[in-house]
Amino acid sequence: MTKLRPWFSLIGIGVFAVLLLVVAPNLLSLHWINNLGKYCCYAIVAVGIGLAWGRGGMLVMGQGVFFGLGAYAMAMYLTLETAGPGKIPTFMILYDPLAPLPAFWEPFRNGGFALLAIVLLPVIAATVLGFALFKRRVKGAYFAILSQALAVALATLVSSTIRETGGDTGLSNFKSFFGYLLNDPANKVMLYLIAASALILCMLLVWQLHRSRFGELLLATRDAEERVRFLGYDSANVKLVAYVIAAVMASIGGALFVPIVGIITPQEIGAAASILMIAGVALGGRASLFGPVLGAMAIGWGQSSVASSLPEAWVYILGLLFILVTLFLPKGLSSLFARVRGALPGVKAQERIPA
């Protein structure tokens, strides 16, 4: 029994992969496939948050920054692909027909550069920010406030640069994705499968990190950072690596979100969006592997389904849900499994470890 415990999560990932990649495409309508693809994008971000916050103790309330970097990098490429070779996007022509394409847009005509930017931009931004904060031992509420302030700043910057980024209306009306027409149902299913596969790969990566020496160091840094330093490890570097991994996952989620949903606006990357990302992780259980994924999907479903039919009540429903979870399940809904398993007869006391 004890020998199988480390593999429970891997078996769960396998079952989850079958449900997402095999069962869902064959049972769900195209509408729900598209919605599930969007939830997978949120879940990719949540997996990274679970690593940085649940395992590392960093309350990353500004993941909208990295989500936005990936989303706008992909949106810029898709916009230029739709416009055609050498042409300027339609929204720029409306504001100034004679103005040239901004210099920072030009490289995004190349799909390879866009894909590279989706990975490198969050790595650079997270490394610079994380190094500046962790080396100065900024943590707790101060780190959370600073990270969220960056999300607000980025959303404000995008909103104010109407000609360069589309402003509040964002970027939309994409026609193709690397040569594949976006209005083709088969290509929509393909995009969903890409997002679902990316989610599974992110979960596998985090599962492996949890079992590695790095995962143990990250957990030790969360619980006893001073002792980790005393033992000769640089806790700042440990946290930095987790923060960068979470940033890249957020960027990948944002990049896949754009062709699936068909639009990106400042509202998707600001403070409110970042709080919803954290909320899903808290709801599901930040310390577990599946908790952030299921929590993010639940929040995504609530936002697109409940909020659309009951827009005024959704905020109150969400608030009440989190009050109840905080009071009765402070470790999230995933801790229910550990509680039920711990209450079963024959389970040893040392095996009753909370999720």
Side-chain angles (χ1 to χ4, degrees):
M1 184 73 174
T2 303
K3 293 181 179 180
L4 290 176
R5 286 181 59 204
W7 300 95
F8 284 164
S9 295
L10 186 60
I11 295 171
I13 292 174
V15 174
F16 194 56
V18 171
L19 291 175
L20 286 180
L21 300 175
V22 179
V23 177
N26 290 297
L27 292 183
L28 299 180
S29 65
L30 189 61
H31 169 74
W32 281 108
I33 283 291
N34 198 66
N35 278 348
L36 188 57
K38 180 173 68 171
Y39 306 155
C40 285
C41 295
Y42 291 144
I44 292 171
V45 184
V47 171
I49 295 175
L51 177 67
W53 183 29
R55 195 78 175 182
M58 296 169 281
L59 184 54
V60 284
M61 296 190 69
Q63 291 304 90
V65 172
F66 308 113
F67 186 88
L69 289 176
Y72 272 91
M74 178 63 77
M76 289 164 67
Y77 168 72
L78 296 183
T79 300
L80 291 173
E81 185 182 37
T82 300
K87 294 185 179 180
I88 299 176
T90 305
F91 79 91
M92 291 185 182
I93 298 175
L94 294 176
Y95 289 110
D96 190 352
L98 301 178
L101 185 72
F104 71 92
W105 271 74
E106 196 63 44
F108 287 92
R109 290 191 185 277
N110 184 280
F113 179 86
L115 293 176
L116 194 63
I118 289 167
V119 176
L120 289 185
L121 285 178
V123 168
I124 295 171
T127 299
V128 172
L129 177 62
F131 188 84
L133 295 179
F134 299 141
K135 289 296 183 180
R136 289 169 175 78
R137 301 185 184 181
V138 177
K139 55 185 178 180
Y142 298 102
F143 175 80
I145 292 170
L146 285 171
S147 62
Q148 191 173 53
L150 287 176
V152 174
L154 179 62
T156 303
L157 176 64
V158 172
S159 296
S160 62
T161 52
I162 299 176
R163 185 187 178 278
E164 291 79 8
T165 63
D168 289 331
T169 57
L171 300 176
S172 59
N173 298 320
F174 314 118
K175 303 299 181 183
S176 61
F177 174 77
F178 291 89
Y180 294 92
L181 295 177
L182 288 174
N183 60 0
D184 188 335
N187 293 337
K188 290 184 178 182
V189 175
M190 177 192 70
L191 280 171
Y192 159 74
L193 291 174
I194 292 174
S197 299
L199 172 59
I200 298 301
L201 290 175
C202 288
M203 293 177 70
L204 285 171
L205 174 61
V206 171
W207 173 79
Q208 181 58 40
L209 288 175
H210 281 187
R211 300 174 63 246
S212 68
R213 185 176 181 81
F214 169 78
E216 296 299 326
L217 272 175
L218 185 61
L219 187 61
T221 300
R222 182 195 70 184
D223 296 335
E225 187 170 354
E226 294 300 327
R227 291 187 180 183
V228 171
R229 291 198 191 98
F230 179 77
L231 291 172
Y233 295 100
D234 191 337
S235 61
N237 289 341
V238 175
K239 292 195 291 186
L240 180 61
V241 171
Y243 186 55
V244 171
I245 292 173
V248 173
M249 288 184 181
S251 182
I252 292 172
L256 292 172
F257 176 89
V258 169
I260 290 175
V261 178
I263 187 173
I264 184 65
T265 67
Q267 286 72 32
E268 301 289 346
I269 66 176
S274 297
I275 290 173
L276 277 179
M277 295 174 189
I278 283 286
V281 176
L283 175 64
R286 61 189 174 95
S288 69
L289 179 61
F290 286 94
V293 173
L294 299 178
M297 287 185 164
I299 292 295
W301 174 82
Q303 188 179 19
S304 59
S305 300
V306 180
S308 60
S309 57
L310 300 170
E312 296 181 356
W314 164 242
V315 178
Y316 298 102
I317 294 172
L318 186 62
L320 178 61
L321 183 62
F322 283 111
I323 290 174
L324 293 176
V325 170
T326 302
L327 288 176
F328 300 106
L329 291 170
K331 294 182 180 179
L333 295 176
S334 62
S335 63
L336 277 175
F337 174 77
R339 288 190 177 188
V340 171
R341 183 171 177 270
L344 293 176
V347 178
K348 297 179 182 180
Q350 59 267 28
E351 292 182 353
R352 296 176 184 176
I353 302 174

